[in-house]
Amino acid sequence: MASLAEVKAFRGEEREWEDRSWFPPGPQLAVCLSGDKNRLADLSDAELCERMAAARRQASWAQAQELAAIAELAARRHAQDEHHDPDYRVLSARESLLEEVSVALAVTGNAAATLVHLAERLTHQLPGTQEALQAGRIDLAKARAISDATDHLPDSLCARVEDTVLDGVEERTTGQLRGKIKRLVRRLAPAELEEQTRKTVKGRRLELWESGHGAAGLALIDIPADDATAVHNKLTAVAHGLKQDGDARLIDQIRADLALQLLRGIPLPEALHAPPVDAEPPASTPAVPDTSEEIGDSVAEMVGHAAQRRLEELRAHVEFHGRLADLPRLAARTVQDLHERLAPLRDTTCGHGKPGYRPPAALRRQIEARHATCVFPTCNRRSEHCDIDHTTPYGTRGTTCGCNLAPLCRRHHRTKQTTRTNETTGWRLFQPWPGVLIWITPAGTWHITLPSRQ
C-alpha cells in the first residue's frame, strides 16, 4: 500500500498541515503557526482544520504556563505568610497575591481568585489534568470543569475521578465532560456531592453586570437546581401561551420581559400585558469642556510618560546588573524622586492648605468627580462608596489636599497599608501629580492610574 508521502508525490503536492495532529504544543509549534509559508489562503480545508486544532493545543500549552507561574508565585507568598504575624489592618500575603495577579493580567479580583485557585488545584491535587492541559489534550474550560467538579472530594477520590475522566477526554465537549463527572461523583461519593450542594446553595446570590451597549445582565446564581428548573419551566409555559395568542416577540424575549416585570413587583396577570422592555439606551448629554483642568490633564499625561520612561530605564539597569530582587525598592525610589521633582510645580498649581484630617464635603466631591471608581488599577467600586485616602499619610508630610487624596475601597485601602508593615515586599502608592497614581507591586511591577475622564 502506498504511503501518504507517496500519494502526495503522485498528486504533485505537499500539504504543510495535513496529519499534524501528532505535533505537540510548545516553541516548535509556535514557529510553525507563525511561519510565512502557512498563509491561510494557501491551505486546503483539511489543513485549516489541522491548523485550528494546533492553535488550540498551543493556547492550552500557554495557559498551562500561565497557571504554573501563578502557582509558583502563590507558593512564595504562602511562605511569606508563615513568617509574619496576622494584622487585620493590612492584606495577608495570600490576599496581596490576588491583587498582584489582578493587575498583572488586567482581570478583576474575582477572576484572579479563580485563576489562583485553579493553579493551586492543578499543581497539588490534579497533576494529571495539569499535564493534559500542557500537552494540549484539554483546554482551559475543560481543566476548570474537572477542578470545579472535584473540588469537594478527598484527594484519593479526586485522583480516581481524574484518572477516569481523562480517558478519552479529547473527544468530549465541556458539557459532556461535566455530565460524566457528575454521574461518576454521584455514584462514587453521593454524600460528598449532597454536602457540596448544600455549601454551594449557601452562597446563592443575585448578580448584576453591564453587558455592553447600555444593557445589563441580572441573574440568580447557585440557587437549588429544582427551584431554578421550576421557575424556568413556568416562564417558558407562559411564554408559549403568549406566543400562541399572537405575541410577536421571541420566546427568550418574552421570558426575560416577564421575569423583569415580576421582579419589579407587577403581579400576574398584569405582568402578562405589560409592554415590552425598551432596550434603547438614553441619549447621552454632550460633555461640557472644562478648560480649567486642561493644564492639569496635560501635566498628568506628561507625568505618566515620564514615569514610564524612568521605570523602563530602571528595569534595564536592574536586569543588566542582575539585581532583580532590588526592583521594588529601586522602583519606589525612582517614583519618589519623580514626586519630589514635581513638588514646586505641584505646590504652585494646587495651593494646598485644608485644615484637619477629614476632607470637607466639597473637596470629597471634587475627588470623587476626578476618579469615578477606586484608584486600584482593576477595581470598579464607585468612589462614593470608597474611603478618601491620604496617599502620603496625614501628619507625615501628607496634607488633606487634592494632590494627596484619592478614593480607595476598603480592600485596596488595606492593600496600600501593607507598605507600613513591610517596606521590602509591600505595595507602594505615590501621587506625583493630583489625580495621577502610581502603584508598585511587591514584585516590582508598576501601574499608573489616571483621572477617569482620560
Side-chain angles (χ1 to χ4, degrees):
M1 178 179 256
S3 66
L4 179 62
E6 290 172 336
V7 171
K8 290 180 178 178
F10 176 76
R11 293 190 312 203
E13 61 182 7
E14 181 179 356
R15 297 298 188 187
E16 179 68 21
W17 282 96
E18 282 187 6
D19 298 305
R20 275 283 181 100
S21 59
W22 56 269
F23 209 107
Q28 290 181 327
L29 182 55
V31 173
C32 292
L33 288 168
S34 61
D36 291 337
K37 63 181 179 180
N38 294 324
R39 291 179 300 176
L40 299 182
D42 296 336
L43 302 182
S44 68
D45 292 357
E47 288 180 296
L48 287 174
C49 291
E50 291 287 359
R51 185 182 174 92
M52 69 175 74
R56 173 60 65 95
R57 294 197 304 276
Q58 187 69 11
S60 297
W61 177 84
Q63 287 164 339
Q65 311 311 309
E66 174 186 315
L67 292 172
I70 292 173
E72 174 61 26
L73 187 61
R76 298 181 185 184
R77 296 297 178 260
H78 285 314
Q80 291 175 1
D81 256 346
E82 294 176 357
H83 296 90
H84 292 92
D85 294 330
D87 186 342
Y88 73 92
R89 296 170 299 177
V90 302
L91 294 185
S92 65
R94 165 75 179 185
E95 293 172 311
S96 180
L97 164 71
L98 300 183
E99 305 301 349
E100 285 189 81
V101 173
S102 173
V103 296
L105 303 181
V107 298
T108 65
N110 288 338
T114 299
L115 287 172
V116 171
H117 181 68
L118 177 60
E120 293 181 321
R121 288 271 297 153
L122 296 186
T123 299
H124 302 295
Q125 284 85 30
L126 297 168
T129 304
Q130 182 183 47
E131 182 179 350
L133 181 65
Q134 182 157 331
R137 294 179 56 208
I138 62 175
D139 58 16
L140 185 62
K142 293 180 181 179
R144 282 177 171 166
I146 296 173
S147 176
D148 292 345
T150 60
D151 204 1
H152 59 288
L153 299 178
D155 288 351
S156 58
L157 186 57
C158 180
R160 184 178 175 184
V161 171
E162 180 188 41
D163 289 342
T164 303
V165 299
L166 286 178
D167 184 18
V169 70
E170 301 91 338
E171 305 300 324
R172 295 189 181 91
T173 66
T174 304
Q176 292 169 337
L177 180 61
R178 290 183 184 276
K180 180 173 182 178
I181 297 174
K182 185 177 181 179
R183 292 190 298 271
L184 187 62
V185 173
R186 184 183 292 117
R187 177 168 58 85
L188 296 178
E192 287 84 351
L193 179 60
E194 184 177 350
E195 177 62 23
Q196 180 61 25
T197 300
R198 284 197 295 268
K199 290 180 179 179
T200 301
V201 171
K202 285 183 178 180
R204 61 193 179 278
R205 59 202 181 277
L206 181 68
E207 289 193 358
L208 172 68
W209 67 94
E210 293 185 4
S211 55
H213 305 291
L218 182 68
L220 293 169
I221 307 296
D222 289 337
I223 62 175
D226 291 342
D227 291 341
T229 301
V231 170
H232 185 271
N233 289 345
K234 185 171 183 178
L235 290 173
T236 300
V238 175
H240 280 293
L242 292 174
K243 193 72 174 174
Q244 290 175 358
D245 290 340
D247 197 310
R249 292 172 293 173
L250 300 175
I251 291 293
D252 282 340
Q253 293 173 332
I254 298 175
R255 278 194 297 234
D257 290 348
L258 181 58
L260 183 57
Q261 298 300 337
L262 293 173
L263 287 172
R264 292 177 64 183
I266 300 176
L268 290 173
E270 287 85 348
L272 300 178
H273 306 293
V277 175
D278 185 2
E280 293 184 6
S284 57
T285 303
V288 178
D290 187 354
T291 56
S292 64
E293 294 186 4
E294 289 181 357
I295 297 178
D297 291 343
S298 299
V299 174
E301 185 176 357
M302 290 189 294
V303 169
H305 292 323
Q308 183 172 356
R309 289 194 300 271
R310 290 281 287 161
L311 266 294
E312 287 174 352
E313 293 172 4
L314 169 67
R315 190 180 300 278
H317 172 78
V318 172
E319 290 178 351
F320 177 79
H321 291 284
R323 296 197 302 270
L324 292 176
D326 290 338
L327 186 56
R329 178 175 56 82
L330 294 176
R333 184 186 304 168
T334 299
V335 178
Q336 181 65 49
D337 176 64
L338 178 65
H339 186 276
E340 293 175 357
R341 289 188 181 188
L342 286 171
L345 180 59
R346 187 172 59 246
D347 294 345
T348 302
T349 304
C350 187
H352 305 312
K354 303 294 181 184
Y357 173 80
R358 188 177 299 276
L363 179 56
R364 181 180 180 105
R365 288 193 296 270
Q366 175 188 333
I367 300 302
E368 292 172 353
R370 191 173 66 193
H371 289 283
T373 63
C374 168
V375 296
F376 191 78
T378 60
C379 186
N380 290 318
R381 187 167 182 80
R382 301 292 301 176
S383 57
E384 58 263 30
H385 302 305
C386 293
D387 300 332
I388 299 299
D389 172 67
H390 292 77
T391 307
T392 299
Y394 181 78
T396 58
R397 298 192 303 166
T399 59
T400 303
C401 183
C403 66
N404 191 48
L405 296 174
L408 282 174
C409 71
R410 189 57 53 87
R411 177 179 179 84
H412 294 122
H413 198 162
R414 293 174 62 214
T415 302
K416 179 217 171 189
Q417 296 297 95
T418 58
T419 306
R420 294 186 180 182
T421 59
N422 197 327
E423 292 286 341
T424 303
T425 61
W427 290 75
R428 305 298 300 274
L429 178 61
F430 300 89
Q431 189 169 182
W433 188 259
V436 179
L437 286 299
I438 301 179
W439 290 86
I440 299 176
T441 74
T445 62
W446 56 278
H447 304 267
I448 297 177
T449 300
L450 296 176
S452 298
R453 66 196 199 93
Q454 297 225 356

